[in-house]
Amino acid sequence: MDIVDLVNGKTTSFMLFGRPVFHSFSPVLQNTIAKALNVNTIYTAVNVDNLEAAVKGAYAMRIKGINVTVPYKEEVMPLLCGIDKKAEAIGAVNTLKYTENGYYGYNTDIIGLTMSLKLQGIDIKGKTVVVLGAGGAARAAVTMALTEGAAKTYIVNRTRKNAEAIRDNVLKYYDGEVYVCGYSQLDDIEGELIIIQTTSVGMGEGVYESPIKDNKIFERTAALVDIIYNPMETKIMADAWIYGVPTANGLDMLIYQGIASFEIWTGFKIDDKTKLKIRDRLRLYYEREKK
Ligand code: NAP
């Protein structure tokens, strides 16, 4: 079908604010969701120079839903009329919903990550979760570990103070046992582990690298999720797989955070079967594009 048949005066616009946005998968993701549900919405990515002006302008235009990405996920927070508790604990917002009082902020990365684990049959309740990295994505992973009932959460990072900052912030919002350590102390963490890899090691220039150098840890790893999705299999995933560890990449997290944003904006409750259909369509698209 042609775009002329799809977009008309009743079309609802959703947007992505970031800089740069040209590489973003979100327009394909969101427009695929709209097509699957046969709703009259369109999603475009906008390269934003002035975030405050962009948010005010969008509100004046009654744009019902906005995603915010790098570098604006924190900067957007003071511009909102309210923020969801999980997003506060994470310290970043990626989804804005239009309300009568202004935009209300959510973080759907945490929903995407939670769903990604569920799809793999990984239940972290009562388990020991090891989060590798202490950047933006790690904050969502640590918050998820606490909200999903992990017994103990370890943040393992190169720069200790970044890990401590995450621990200190999340404990203001949720109770739990959160510890900080370096890679050389990984061996001291006891018991069976669920590892969530959130560093940027394994992509770009570090594509042949893993943040873990001693693979013995995989002998007692129950599951590993690497939130990187390009490449689809990272070095750490391949290393863990040799030890028989079930692994998953970050594509489901990416897809399900988008589905969650769409649900927040529209109020739709998309059933699980339709979500899986959307996911399969997007996975196919992504795999073809990456060839
Ligand atoms: P970020 O804020 O820049 O954080 C990067 C983290 O990687 C930091 O903790 C950094 O440690 C660590 N790191 C970098 N180089 C390292 C090295 N050589 N050895 C050990 N640690 C190293 O990045 P982010 O926003 O959290 O994103 C991280 C990754 O997640 C990216 O690959 C991104 O594409 C992916 N991601 C995926 C999704 C999804 O939906 N699947 C969502 C968000 C992000 P220091 O603190 O010591 O600097």
Side-chain angles (χ1 to χ4, degrees):
M1 203 181 272
D2 197 82
I3 185 115
V4 179
D5 303 312
L6 294 172
V7 180
N8 54 37
K10 292 180 186 159
T11 304
T12 300
S13 292
F14 301 130
M15 287 178 176
L16 170 70
F17 286 177
R19 195 184 62 208
V21 290
F22 64 88
H23 62 281
S24 175
F25 185 52
S26 290
V28 170
L29 204 169
Q30 292 297 340
N31 291 320
T32 298
I33 299 170
K35 196 172 165 192
L37 300 176
N38 198 22
V39 292
N40 190 2
T41 64
I42 189 160
Y43 183 102
T44 49
V46 183
N47 222 13
V48 165
D49 289 329
N50 181 329
L51 182 68
E52 189 173 357
V55 170
K56 280 188 180 151
Y59 191 74
M61 291 187 283
R62 293 177 179 256
I63 300 295
K64 295 287 187 281
I66 299 168
N67 277 141
V68 179
T69 188
V70 180
Y72 295 129
K73 286 183 178 185
E74 291 100 33
E75 196 181 323
V76 76
M77 295 175 77
L79 306 175
L80 307 175
C81 67
I83 296 175
D84 173 70
K85 183 179 170 188
K86 283 182 187 168
E88 288 265 20
I90 294 166
V93 159
N94 77 332
T95 299
L96 312 190
K97 182 184 168 68
Y98 183 96
T99 76
E100 285 308 307
N101 305 318
Y103 284 113
Y104 195 86
Y106 299 85
N107 187 307
T108 62
D109 282 340
I110 186 169
I111 304 176
L113 184 57
T114 309
M115 271 311 296
S116 150
L117 267 83
K118 283 198 176 134
L119 287 169
Q120 299 301 322
I122 304 168
D123 183 4
I124 61 175
K125 201 171 170 56
K127 307 274 174 54
T128 300
V129 173
V130 174
V131 177
L132 306 179
R139 292 188 286 181
V142 173
T143 306
M144 181 204 67
L146 262 66
T147 55
E148 294 294 307
K152 291 179 182 174
T153 304
Y154 289 84
I155 312 172
V156 182
N157 199 43
R158 198 173 53 171
T159 314
R160 191 178 171 91
K161 72 170 176 20
N162 294 347
E164 286 172 348
I166 294 182
R167 178 198 60 197
D168 295 347
N169 191 58
V170 77
L171 289 177
K172 285 186 208 156
Y173 297 89
Y174 296 102
D175 294 330
E177 285 189 48
V178 185
Y179 305 96
V180 164
C181 70
Y183 286 94
S184 60
Q185 295 156 300
L186 254 180
D187 233 15
D188 301 338
I189 305 174
E190 289 174 355
E192 199 177 57
L193 313 176
I194 291 170
I195 300 179
I196 306 177
Q197 194 311 107
T198 75
T199 75
S200 43
V201 182
M203 62 180 290
E205 284 175 10
V207 72
Y208 299 115
E209 290 169 28
S210 161
I212 291 185
K213 305 299 173 213
D214 185 355
N215 291 339
K216 264 202 337 264
I217 192 95
F218 298 130
E219 284 172 359
R220 52 193 184 85
T221 300
L224 178 139
V225 176
D226 191 333
I227 70 159
I228 291 175
Y229 46 84
N230 183 18
M232 299 279 273
E233 187 182 53
T234 54
K235 170 92 165 61
I236 193 173
M237 287 170 67
D239 288 347
W241 182 249
I242 291 169
Y243 286 77
V245 177
T247 63
N249 65 26
L251 193 52
D252 280 335
M253 174 179 172
L254 181 70
I255 292 170
Y256 276 86
Q257 62 78 30
I259 292 176
S261 293
F262 190 91
E263 288 188 313
I264 286 170
W265 297 330
T266 58
F268 289 0
K269 276 252 71 57
I270 307 171
D271 64 78
D272 290 348
K273 221 170 113 190
T274 308
K275 283 182 185 172
L276 283 174
K277 228 189 263 176
I278 293 167
R279 171 219 196 197
D280 290 347
R281 221 176 269 182
L282 284 162
R283 287 193 81 101
L284 206 65
Y285 173 91
Y286 191 82
E287 279 159 24
R288 275 198 201 134
E289 278 294 296
K290 288 292 147 205
K291 271 188 190 149

